[in-house]
């Protein structure tokens, strides 16, 4: 099931003045593009549609043009269109190129740089950000060829929204491949544009779908002292938490990042509170309340040393190693999830090595969270370089009545998708 959206018609001006070139390719999900056009326009975007020949087998240019209130471009070798606008101008006269649905075919052509129709030529000629909303049968999506193409495109800086888990419209098969819902795509468009445009103007506050919202993000490991020189730690780098703080700030949120010891630079436009231990992190998070959003990403140590030695513990010849008595640390996510000032949206990260989704689901209820982002951090999780300390992540986003597995992505991309999801949820 895709992550559920609260269908909201608020934030009416979030795309005011922006120009979206919408390429519709030939998938059954093309019917959803009609609703997508309506949603984009409702937020103030101008939508200029381009349709592949395949797309026209599913929805008519007449319906698309009527909803977009604009001319629909379909032909590369059209004398009038070429004199009038031209394919290069089409590719550049916009703030973002959105492909929804993006077929396996158009992704393959993009990955290869093929240009045999108007849509693929625009995609090669554009210098604007490109966002794809893939939609296809789960077998097509998981095929090694599509996986390779997706990786190539992600490496080329192409953004992705979805696909999610769900039932295929035509075959009834379940699996990953269902196009993201129109509101999720709108949120991803907002996020992508917020990244490429300044989020604040001199003398004005930050703008974006999360402007006016306060967010608290935790990141990194905690260090639990044994004595003044030794501590217990874990492999968390803080990359995921810092990227989420930055992504929320780009969408206009006022972000407090409570960070354990990391070697990363502070994200731009974010207030950073540095802590060492779990207890300090809990105190800093509670001090940052009230907030609208809490995203608890830090790998907080479960235990700390019960009696921290005041001086360096000495090694004496012939003596047994000193026993370490541990005591439980505060559960920060649970504290926030059940707090009297509980933020409207509470998201927790769960690093698991076994039964990732089942354990994530149990945590959701126990901790009072709205979403648990479960990641498999076991050595065999398949993520190159490992999740903890690495640059990539593969997560399953578990909601109260939803579950969505995202492909392996750069942590920045995971952050962008999560921020877009949060923006969509908060309307
Ligand atoms: C009924 C039907 C449904 C299809 N749905 C999809 C789809 O959801 N995703 C996809 O990648 N291809 C789908 N295809 C195949 C594409 O239409 C086909 O690959 C076509 O060449 C895509 O062209 P385009 O990418 O230029 O639009 C479907 C084909 C048919 C006949």
């Amino acid at each position: 099931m895709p992550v559920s959206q609260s269908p909201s018609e608020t934030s009416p001006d979030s795309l005011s003045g922006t120009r979206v070139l919408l390429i519709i390719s030939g998938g059954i999900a093309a019917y959803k593009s009609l609703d997508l056009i309506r949603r984009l326009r409702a937020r103030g975007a101008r939508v200029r549609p381009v349709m592949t020949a395949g797309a026209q087998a599913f929805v008519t240019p007449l319906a698309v043009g009527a909803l977009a209130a604009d001319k629909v471009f379909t032909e590369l070798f059209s004398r009038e269109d070429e004199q009038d606008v031209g394919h290069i101008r089409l590719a550049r006269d916009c703030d973002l190129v959105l492909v929804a649905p993006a077929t396996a075919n158009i992704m393959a052509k993009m990955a290869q740089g093929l240009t045999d129709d108007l849509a693929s030529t625009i995609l090669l000629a554009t210098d604007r950000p490109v966002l794809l909303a893939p939609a296809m049968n789960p077998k097509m999506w998981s095929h090694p060829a599509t996986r390779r193409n997706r990786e190539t495109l992600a490496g080329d800086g192409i953004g992705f929204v979805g696909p999610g888990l769900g039932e295929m419209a035509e075959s009834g098969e379940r699996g990953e491949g269902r196009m993201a819902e129109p509101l999720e795509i709108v949120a991803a468009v907002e996020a992508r544009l917020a990244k490429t445009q300044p989020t604040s103007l001199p003398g004005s506050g930050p703008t974006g779908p999360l402007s006016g919202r306060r967010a608290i993000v935790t990141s990194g490991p905690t260090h639990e002292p044994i004595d003044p020189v030794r501590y217990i730690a874990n492999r968390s780098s803080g990359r995921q938490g810092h990227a989420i703080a930055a992504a929320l700030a780009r969408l206009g949120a006022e972000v407090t990042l409570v960070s354990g010891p990391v070697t990363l630079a502070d994200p731009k436009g974010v207030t950073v509170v540095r802590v060492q231990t779990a207890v300090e992190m809990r105190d800093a998070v509670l001090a940052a309340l009230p907030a609208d959003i809490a995203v608890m990403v830090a790998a907080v140590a479960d235990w700390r040393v019960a009696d921290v030695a005041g001086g360096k513990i000495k090694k004496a010849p012939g003596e047994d190693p000193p026993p370490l008595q541990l005591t439980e640390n505060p559960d920060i996510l649970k504290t926030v999830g059940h707090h009297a000032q509980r933020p409207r949206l509470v998201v927790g990260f769960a690093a698991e090595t076994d039964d990732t989704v089942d354990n994530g689901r149990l945590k959701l209820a126990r901790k009072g969270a709205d979403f648990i982002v479960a990641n498999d951090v076991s050595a065999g999780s398949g993520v190159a370089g490992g999740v903890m300390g690495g640059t990539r992540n593969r997560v399953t986003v578990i909601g109260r009545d939803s579950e969505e597995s995202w492909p392996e992505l750069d942590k920045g991309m995971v952050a962008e998708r999560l921020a877009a999801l949060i923006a969509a949820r908060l309307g």
Side-chain angles (χ1 to χ4, degrees), residues 133-144:
M136 65 196 74
N137 175 279
K139 293 273 184 308
M140 290 169 83
W141 178 247
S142 61
H143 193 285

Side-chain angles (χ1 to χ4, degrees), residues 42-67:
R43 281 160 175 74
R46 174 181 175 184
V47 181
R48 180 176 259 181
V50 171
M51 295 176 75
T52 65
Q56 294 168 63
F58 294 93
V59 287
T60 64
L62 188 65
V64 170
L67 281 166

Side-chain angles (χ1 to χ4, degrees), residues 98 131-134 159-164 179-181 184-186 188-189 417:
L98 171 65
L131 183 65
L132 304 189
F160 283 87
V161 49
M179 186 166 93
E181 294 304 316
E184 200 186 340
I185 299 176
V186 169
V189 167
R417 282 179 74 155

